[in-house]
Structures are given as structure tokens and as C-alpha cells.
Amino acid sequence: MKYDKKSVEDIDVHGKKVLVRCDFNVPQDETGKITNDKRIVASIPTIRYLLDHHAKVILCSHLGRPKGKFDLKYSLKPVAESLSKILGFTVKLAPDAIGEGAKNLAESLREGEAILLENVRFYPEEEANDPEFAKKLASLADIYVNDAFGTSHRAHASTAGVAAFLPAVCGYLIQKEITVMGSALENPKRPLVAILGGAKVSDKIGVINNLLEKCDTIIIGGGMGYTFLKALGKEIGKSLLEADKLDYARDMVKKASEKGVKFLLPKDSLAADSFAADSPFIATEDENIPADKMGLDIGPKTIEAYRNAIKGAGTVIWNGPMGVFEFDAFSMGTSAIAEAIVNEKGVISIIGGGDSVSAVKKLGYSDRMTHISTGGGASLEFLEGIELPGIACLLDK
Ligand code: ADP
Ligand code: MG
């Protein structure tokens, strides 16, 4: 999917009321205290740009799953406080998203000021993408900015519906996602190497199908590798297997070879007695795994082969850890691949997928990647080539 969308810089915001859909869905402890404010911090460049250009900024977001009714537990109050601290002035929280309270606050805004609407998911109409609700939300503003990449695969009122009523553009976060991932898929610096892993083939069929059309090399690891190995007649012991995906796996291997796409499967594994952090394990001789063991990570021969395959890559797109990285003993494959990527000079490296991003962060490589996608489900759908409603609805350049 190629997106060439207008951004905040392509529209005159001076004196305008600008509704900005952010991703303020932050983690909190039992007392409501924000435990990680990265998402808030990440939203600041777009907000600052708007403030600096004399806009009247109306921020909105969802937080958690309040199931369509007001619930203090999911109030954006802590976010308003955090924003106030970061921005250095009070960001008032409206009592609701579309009611009189919100309207009055929006009306009272002066240039260079910002308010935050209360959780849009306090209304069932938000997730239902109800046009009346979207219209009311839109009526607060003159311009709509979407900067919540993580919900852009959802057609909700605040992520897509409002764009029917307002000129709509993207903020800097979405702009970076679509520029970096979009060009990697549509006009990549080659060779383009995809590294695909994670638990299940069935979760990744769309990604594999789409990337097979675009990549020069596909590297397979993680739990899903075993369905491929089984499909090719290898013994996989107690490793993860999706028996109903064996035909699919065989087809993909065949398709790759017809297309001249290098399709690399693990040559060896770390095979454990059980699915546990402290399980005894062995490194297997080859692809085969003893009947009483399960593969929880790629082995040293595979690491070596995959390192070589990454060498010289122009672009690497990575989705899905190589092993059960949550257990230290089985995080080596994922670590080694991350290391190989960051050591590759000039490579454009893109990490997408919730667990892949967690893995790269946990193992300490996130700062050295070109792009860490901020949306789990959204980045997967992007890699699948599916149109994202929260982006498709924005004005084309
Ligand atoms: P993402 O969220 O990045 O798309 P997935 O959700 O597909 O990634 O996969 C991540 C999960 O896959 C991790 O929790 C990891 O423990 C698991 N996993 C990786 N390798 C294996 C394996 N060999 N056996 C079982 N689970 C695995
Ligand atoms: Mg996941």
C-alpha cells in the first residue's frame, strides 16, 4: 500500500481549531499512575508544531477498554497532567468528548493553547464508527489530524469517521510510518530481506503472501518455522505445529523458488525438554528435533546462515522473534539477528509487530534500528498490504 498523504505541514493551521487523534493509550499501575509515558512523549512533535503555528489544539484518544460507558478508571486525567508537565502549560481535560463541556472548552481555546477531550471510548458510537457521533466530534474543529498509527487499522469515529467532515491530514508519527514502511514495500533499497518469525504461521499468512511478492530473501524463524520444516519432511518433535497449514507452507516454499526468492529455513534449533525458562536443552545436529523435545530458538548454524543472508541487505523488514525471547536461554537467536542487522552499514531496518518490538527493546537494539513501528496490529496490516482506514481517509498530496 502506497500512501502519499498530506501532513500538518501541508495545511494552514493558523487560528484554526485542530482535532488531533493521538495514541495516549498508556500503561498505568493500579492507582492510575502512568508507568511509561513514551506514547505521550512521541506525540509532542506534532502537538508542538501545531501550537507553534498558532493552532487551537483539541487532543483526543482512547485509553483502555471502557466498553462504551463512562468509567473513571479509564479517564484521561493522568494524561492531561502528564501533557501539562511536558508542554509547560495547563492542558485542560474536557468532561466528555462531544457534549456541552467539550464544546465550551473548544470554543474558549486561544491560539497556541491545547485541551484534551475525555476518552472517546466512553461512547459506544466511537468503535461503531457512528456517523452522527463522528459529525459531533468533527463539529468541535476545523481540521482533523490523525497521529495514532496504532489504531489506524480500525475504522472508528475518531480514527477515520471524522475525516468525512473535515480536511484531514497526518501528524509526524503516521507520516514516518507511511514514509519508511511504504517505501520499504513499494520502492525498497535492495536487496530487500524479510525476517519472519513468531509463534504461528496462521497469524502471518497475509504478511508472508505480501512480502513474497516484494522481497529478494525471506528468512523464517520462531515457532512458525517448524510447520515449514514438517512440511518438508523433517522431524520436529514436540515443537509448535499447525497441521492445517502444512499445504500452505509447502506452497509457499514452491512459490518462492518459482519466483527466485531465497527462502531460508532453520538448519538447527535449541531443543528443550519443556516450554520453560529453565528447561534443559540441546543444540540439534540439523533440522530434525528428537521426538521428546521442542524447538524454542534457532541454533548456531542457523544464526550463521542468517547472518550471511543479512549481509549486504539494503532493507530489512523484521516481524516475529526467532525464538522464545521471553526466556533468556532462548533469546540468543533473536539477539544475534538484531546484532547482525545493526552491524550492517547503511541498511534500512524496520521492526514491526508488538512482540518483535518488545524483543528488540528488551534486548537493547531499538535505538540502532531505522524504524520501530509504533503499532502492533496496524504494522502487521501495513506489511500485509491491507488498506488502513485511518490513513486511507486522509487527504492525498
Ligand atoms: P509479533 O507480535 O511481533 O507479530 P508474534 O506474536 O507472532 O510476533 O510472535 C511472538 C511470540 O512467538 C513470542 O511470544 C515468542 O515467545 C513466540 N515464539 C517464538 N519462537 C517460538 C517457538 N520456537 N516456540 C514457541 N513460541 C515461539
Ligand atoms: Mg504478537
Side-chain angles (χ1 to χ4, degrees):
M1 190 58 50
K2 177 98 181 90
Y3 295 109
D4 203 7
K5 295 297 182 181
K6 286 193 176 171
S7 82
V8 282
E9 293 184 15
D10 300 313
I11 194 163
D12 180 16
V13 300
H14 196 120
K16 302 275 172 56
K17 282 183 283 183
V18 182
L19 176 70
V20 190
R21 177 52 157 101
C22 297
D23 179 3
F24 293 145
N25 187 28
V26 289
Q28 293 169 284
D29 66 15
E30 324 72 57
T31 69
K33 193 169 166 279
I34 296 169
T35 52
N36 184 331
D37 69 353
K38 277 209 175 121
R39 287 184 171 170
I40 301 176
V41 172
S43 70
I44 297 298
T46 298
I47 299 173
R48 275 257 185 255
Y49 175 88
L50 293 169
L51 295 171
D52 290 348
H53 288 78
H54 307 276
K56 303 169 179 178
V57 178
I58 304 166
L59 304 166
C60 71
S61 176
H62 79 282
L63 174 63
R65 298 174 186 274
K67 307 223 172 84
K69 52 183 193 303
F70 190 92
D71 183 344
L72 206 55
K73 189 175 158 218
Y74 299 106
S75 169
L76 283 165
K77 186 159 178 267
V79 174
E81 287 164 0
S82 168
L83 279 168
S84 302
K85 257 188 223 136
I86 298 172
L87 291 170
F89 63 84
T90 302
V91 175
K92 284 190 194 152
L93 178 68
D96 50 33
I98 53 160
E100 282 305 309
K103 221 184 268 173
N104 292 339
L105 259 191
E107 280 306 324
S108 72
L109 267 174
R110 282 177 302 201
E111 292 175 14
E113 286 182 350
I115 57 166
L116 174 61
L117 303 180
E118 188 52 286
N119 197 334
V120 284
R121 287 197 190 166
F122 285 171
Y123 293 83
E125 293 91 336
E126 159 67 2
E127 289 186 78
N129 195 10
D130 178 80
E132 275 310 306
F133 177 81
K135 196 173 174 184
K136 280 184 196 154
L137 197 57
S139 73
L140 299 173
D142 308 306
I143 293 171
Y144 169 66
V145 173
N146 190 6
D147 212 18
F149 182 71
T151 47
S152 64
H153 58 317
R154 304 277 180 237
H156 295 168
S158 73
T159 63
V162 285
F165 306 99
L166 293 173
V169 301
C170 63
Y172 290 118
L173 286 176
I174 286 195
Q175 189 182 39
K176 185 176 179 220
E177 298 276 358
I178 61 181
T179 309
V180 180
M181 288 209 286
S183 34
L185 291 176
E186 296 309 324
N187 183 24
K189 182 174 164 201
R190 292 192 181 270
L192 172 57
V193 178
I195 305 172
L196 302 175
K200 286 156 58 185
V201 181
S202 52
D203 289 342
K204 300 295 160 75
I205 287 181
V207 178
I208 301 171
N209 289 348
N210 192 34
L211 291 180
L212 198 58
E213 299 297 324
K214 303 178 187 287
C215 288
D216 302 292
T217 302
I218 293 186
I219 292 174
I220 301 277
M224 75 173 190
Y226 299 104
T227 297
F228 282 95
L229 290 172
K230 177 83 181 175
L232 299 181
K234 308 296 177 189
E235 298 298 332
I236 63 163
K238 297 188 291 176
S239 308
L240 269 188
L241 169 67
E242 285 178 280
D244 61 335
K245 293 294 173 290
L246 288 168
D247 286 341
Y248 171 81
R250 234 171 267 126
D251 281 353
M252 284 306 112
V253 173
K254 188 164 156 250
K255 202 167 165 199
S257 117
E258 285 164 6
K259 287 184 160 297
V261 174
K262 280 188 217 138
F263 198 87
L264 306 183
L265 288 167
K267 294 176 177 301
D268 61 350
S269 288
L270 299 187
D273 295 352
S274 66
F275 190 86
D278 58 356
S279 168
F281 65 89
I282 56 160
T284 60
E285 277 300 306
D286 54 24
E287 294 97 331
N288 295 295
I289 295 189
D292 60 342
K293 297 194 194 302
M294 56 178 74
L296 295 187
D297 198 3
I298 54 175
K301 291 174 192 161
T302 308
I303 289 177
E304 191 50 36
Y306 288 3
R307 258 195 208 123
N308 287 329
I310 292 165
K311 237 173 233 150
T315 307
V316 172
I317 298 178
W318 186 5
N319 168 249
M322 295 291 99
V324 184
F325 71 94
E326 295 92 337
F327 301 155
D328 286 346
F330 306 107
S331 66
M332 206 135 58
T334 304
S335 248
I337 295 307
E339 180 82 34
I341 296 170
V342 300
N343 284 338
E344 199 54 40
K345 273 211 181 69
V347 73
I348 296 167
S349 50
I350 297 170
I351 317 296
D355 292 295
S356 311
V357 169
S358 307
V360 167
K361 283 185 178 161
K362 179 177 179 223
L363 300 169
Y365 292 97
S366 54
D367 296 342
R368 287 181 280 163
M369 299 292 177
T370 311
H371 183 63
I372 303 276
S373 180
T374 55
S379 53
L380 277 194
E381 291 196 16
F382 199 107
L383 297 179
E384 289 176 31
I386 296 176
E387 184 174 89
L388 307 180
I391 298 174
C393 70
L394 306 175
L395 291 171
D396 287 319
K397 266 205 178 150

